[in-house]
Amino acid sequence: MEVLMSNWSNVVQSLPEKYVFPPEKRPGKDVFPVVNDVPVIDLETAEGHGRGEIVHQILHACQQFGFFQVINHGVPISLMDDTMNVLKEFFGKLLVRIQLKWVRSYCLDFGCISEGLGLKLGYFDGELSKIQLLSVNHHIPCPNPSLTLGMPEHCDPNLISMLQQCPIPGLQVFHQGQWMNVDPMPNAFVVIPGLQLKVISNGKFSSPIHRVMTHPKEGRTTMGTFLIPSHGMLIHPPHHDPLYRAFTYQEFFTTFTKNNCDADFALEYFKNKT
Ligand code: OGA
Ligand code: NI
C-alpha cells in the first residue's frame, strides 16, 4: 500500500524510537499558554504619515517583547494563500525540507528597524541582507507530540527571519520564563530578530528562543524568509562602545554550528573583553 506522508500518523501508531527526544529535552504533556499580547504592527502607513509611529512601535516591540507580527505588509493575501496551498499539496505527497537560495521576495520595510536604531536608511540593504533564504518547514502529524519536537529550541543566527504560519499552531517562544504558543494570525508574518540584529543593536534587541511542537492530527507548514548577511561581511555594532568585536558572518555561523547552535556561547565568543 502506498503511504502518503499526510497519512503517516494514521498508519504509524507511535513515534519511532529515533525521533524520541531525551527526557530533559521533551516538551512533555503540559498545556502551554498562548502569548496573546504579541505586538501586531500595521504597516499600512509605513511609507507615509504613520512612519514615525511605526518605527516607534517596532523599536518598542523588539526591546520590550523580543519579536512581533506585521499585517498590511504589502504581500498580497491571495499570494500568501496560493503559496501555502501549493506547499500543502506538495507536502501531502512527500516529506522533504526544501531550501531555495536567491529567491526574490517581497521585501518588507526594514528601513523602519534601521531608523529605530538610529542607523542610516538602507543600513540593512546590501551585504547585510544579501542572501534571502526561503525555507519551508513541514511537520507531519505526530502520534506523541509530548516526546518530540518539530524543531528543537534555538535562536535564529541570521539577521531577521519572517515566518508565514499555516493555521495549525506549533510555534512556541520562551517568554516570561516559560514556553508559550504563538498562535497563527491570518495574513500576518511573524518577524523574529536574529542574532546578528542583537549584535548590530549592541544588545538593545534580543533574539527570542523558539521551537516548534508537532500536532497529533494535522500536518503543519511554515514558510520562512531568512535574511542572511553575505558570508564575508564584517559585522560589528555601529556604536562607540561596541559590546562585540568585528567578525565575519562566516566566522559566527561556524562557531554557532560547531557548538550545538548554542547562541549564548557564540555571542560570548565574539564579545569584546575589557
Ligand atoms: C526556523 C523556525 C519556525 C516554524 O525555521 O528557524 O523557527 O514555525 N521555524 O517552522
Ligand atoms: Ni527559527
Side-chain angles (χ1 to χ4, degrees):
M1 186 184 72
E2 186 189 22
V3 179
L4 294 181
M5 281 304 170
S6 51
N7 293 329
W8 187 79
S9 66
N10 298 335
V11 181
V12 180
Q13 294 302 314
S14 68
L15 186 67
E17 198 61 37
K18 68 174 175 176
Y19 296 111
V20 175
F21 276 42
E24 69 284 3
K25 299 231 160 101
R26 290 177 198 164
K29 289 198 158 90
D30 293 357
V31 176
F32 296 98
V34 174
V35 221
N36 45 26
D37 51 350
V38 182
V40 177
I41 299 179
D42 185 341
L43 297 182
E44 175 91 56
T45 58
E47 292 300 320
H49 62 90
R51 190 170 184 88
E53 173 57 21
I54 290 170
V55 168
H56 173 76
Q57 286 175 11
I58 291 177
L59 197 64
H60 191 261
C62 288
Q63 283 189 272
Q64 303 301 320
F65 206 84
F67 70 103
F68 56 95
Q69 311 204 54
V70 287
I71 53 169
N72 291 320
H73 35 62
V75 180
I77 305 306
S78 57
L79 179 61
M80 293 177 78
D81 290 347
D82 288 352
T83 312
M84 198 47 90
N85 288 336
V86 167
L87 291 171
K88 275 198 192 136
E89 196 180 327
F90 179 74
F91 285 111
K93 301 199 166 56
L94 200 67
L95 174 76
V96 282
R97 181 183 155 121
I98 48 169
Q99 296 203 328
L100 306 172
K101 279 194 181 179
W102 305 107
V103 174
R104 183 179 169 279
S105 68
Y106 279 82
C107 209
L108 295 180
D109 191 350
F110 292 109
C112 289
I113 293 187
S114 56
E115 253 177 83
L117 284 171
L119 303 171
K120 67 177 187 325
L121 202 63
Y123 189 87
F124 291 122
D125 299 348
E127 295 299 302
L128 259 178
S129 56
K130 176 95 178 181
I131 302 171
Q132 296 193 11
L133 177 73
L134 181 71
S135 171
V136 181
N137 293 331
H138 179 80
H139 299 111
I140 55 177
C142 170
N144 308 100
S146 66
L147 300 180
T148 193
L149 286 165
M151 227 181 195
E153 67 175 77
H154 66 282
C155 293
D156 293 349
N158 51 299
L159 182 67
I160 298 172
S161 310
M162 280 169 298
L163 303 173
Q164 179 187 343
Q165 304 195 70
C166 79
I168 308 301
L171 178 64
Q172 294 190 329
V173 287
F174 197 71
H175 187 65
Q176 292 172 343
Q178 61 178 329
W179 286 105
M180 297 177 90
N181 291 317
V182 181
D183 276 359
M185 178 179 187
N187 310 331
F189 287 106
V190 180
V191 182
I192 299 183
L195 294 173
Q196 302 316 304
L197 198 56
K198 177 164 182 158
V199 168
I200 289 164
S201 69
N202 211 30
K204 207 168 174 183
F205 296 172
S206 56
S207 176
I209 306 173
H210 54 288
R211 69 181 188 183
V212 181
M213 295 280 294
T214 56
H215 193 280
K217 294 273 175 279
E218 308 281 351
R220 180 173 181 278
T221 308
T222 320
M223 189 165 59
T225 304
F226 300 86
L227 298 191
I228 300 174
S230 69
H231 284 190
M233 162 96 198
L234 203 57
I235 290 168
H236 61 98
H239 196 269
H240 56 84
D241 192 10
L243 285 179
Y244 303 92
R245 64 179 170 83
F247 55 81
T248 62
Y249 184 64
Q250 174 85 63
E251 260 183 284
F252 186 93
F253 193 71
T254 307
T255 307
F256 179 71
T257 49
K258 280 200 174 147
N259 291 283
N260 278 329
C261 299
D262 184 332
D264 288 339
F265 180 92
L267 290 170
E268 195 55 38
Y269 186 84
F270 293 103
K271 267 222 167 115
N272 263 329
K273 309 280 187 279
T274 44

